[in-house]
Amino acid sequence: LKHMASRTIKLSTFVMFPLLMGLAVCSRPLILTLYGETWINSVFYMQLFCFAFLFYPVNIANMQLLNGLGRSDLFLKLNIIKKIVGITSIVLSMNFGVKAIAVGYMISSFLNVSVNIIPNKKQLNYGFFEQMKDIFPSLALSGFMYFICSIYLFLPLGNLTMLLLQITTGIAVYIIGARLLKLEPFFYLLSLIKNAIKKKV
């Protein structure tokens, strides 16, 4: 079960990290292309919520692990704790404006990761450091992709041109990086695609 959990987390974060980080770095040209300067203030919120949901796959995987182990009692307790954390962040930030509430939400979402992981250290011996070790390659590669794509933001490019360059560069950097680093989820997904093509042919 631990091996299955590890594989699930590796695969889900391998997919979600580049999507969310890619959306964050492309948010400015994307919003300006679709909606224009009127919506420029929404860039901050879009980027923030991309990072807030970054570890969502890890949260879901850990909660499903508890259900799979028949520990619905722990599942309920963790949900109560997370609700308390969420409400606390709103209460503490509500007097400082909408941006503060959004930042508080992001912080609480990061805290929820630890809340969800802690029980599985005891249940499966699959704790925080083991899980961070599993997701670190995808996280680091996504961060590198984000850095490379952010360079375009400093160039005198049109919004649509910048968006297209960021998307193509991000995809290329992530795929090439995954192949060079020999990331397990990359080759697993590649094999699934190859098998699907063979079945159609």
Side-chain angles (χ1 to χ4, degrees), residues 194-201:
K194 288 180 179 178
N195 291 333
I197 293 173
K198 286 180 181 178
K199 287 181 180 179
K200 287 186 178 181
V201 173

Side-chain angles (χ1 to χ4, degrees), residues 41 44-45 48 93 96-106:
N41 291 331
F44 169 80
Y45 298 101
L48 188 141
S93 59
F96 300 97
V98 178
K99 285 188 177 181
I101 293 174
V103 172
Y105 177 82
M106 183 181 70

Side-chain angles (χ1 to χ4, degrees), residues 150-162:
S150 66
I151 294 173
Y152 289 115
L153 296 171
F154 301 97
L155 300 178
L157 300 170
N159 291 315
L160 182 58
T161 302
M162 185 185 298

Side-chain angles (χ1 to χ4, degrees), residues 53-162:
F53 283 99
L54 199 60
F55 293 98
Y56 186 73
V58 180
N59 284 331
I60 293 297
N62 278 278
M63 296 301 283
Q64 291 304 317
L65 273 174
L66 291 178
N67 276 335
L69 292 168
R71 295 305 307 269
S72 56
D73 57 326
L74 280 177
F75 185 93
L76 178 60
K77 289 177 183 177
L78 293 182
N79 272 324
I80 293 173
I81 293 172
K82 287 187 292 182
K83 294 298 181 185
I84 294 172
V85 171
I87 293 171
T88 303
S89 73
I90 293 173
V91 171
L92 292 176
S93 59
M94 62 189 298
N95 292 326
F96 300 97
V98 178
K99 285 188 177 181
I101 293 174
V103 172
Y105 177 82
M106 183 181 70
I107 294 172
S108 66
S109 69
F110 288 155
L111 292 175
N112 286 340
V113 177
S114 298
V115 172
N116 285 330
I117 290 176
I118 288 172
N120 284 319
K121 174 65 177 178
K122 183 177 180 180
Q123 300 295 321
L124 287 174
N125 194 29
Y126 188 43
F128 182 83
F129 292 107
E130 290 87 353
Q131 294 191 32
M132 291 302 108
K133 183 179 177 181
D134 281 344
I135 70 174
F136 179 76
S138 296
L139 182 61
L141 182 56
S142 297
F144 179 71
M145 178 201 72
Y146 181 96
F147 171 75
I148 294 298
C149 291
S150 66
I151 294 173
Y152 289 115
L153 296 171
F154 301 97
L155 300 178
L157 300 170
N159 291 315
L160 182 58
T161 302
M162 185 185 298

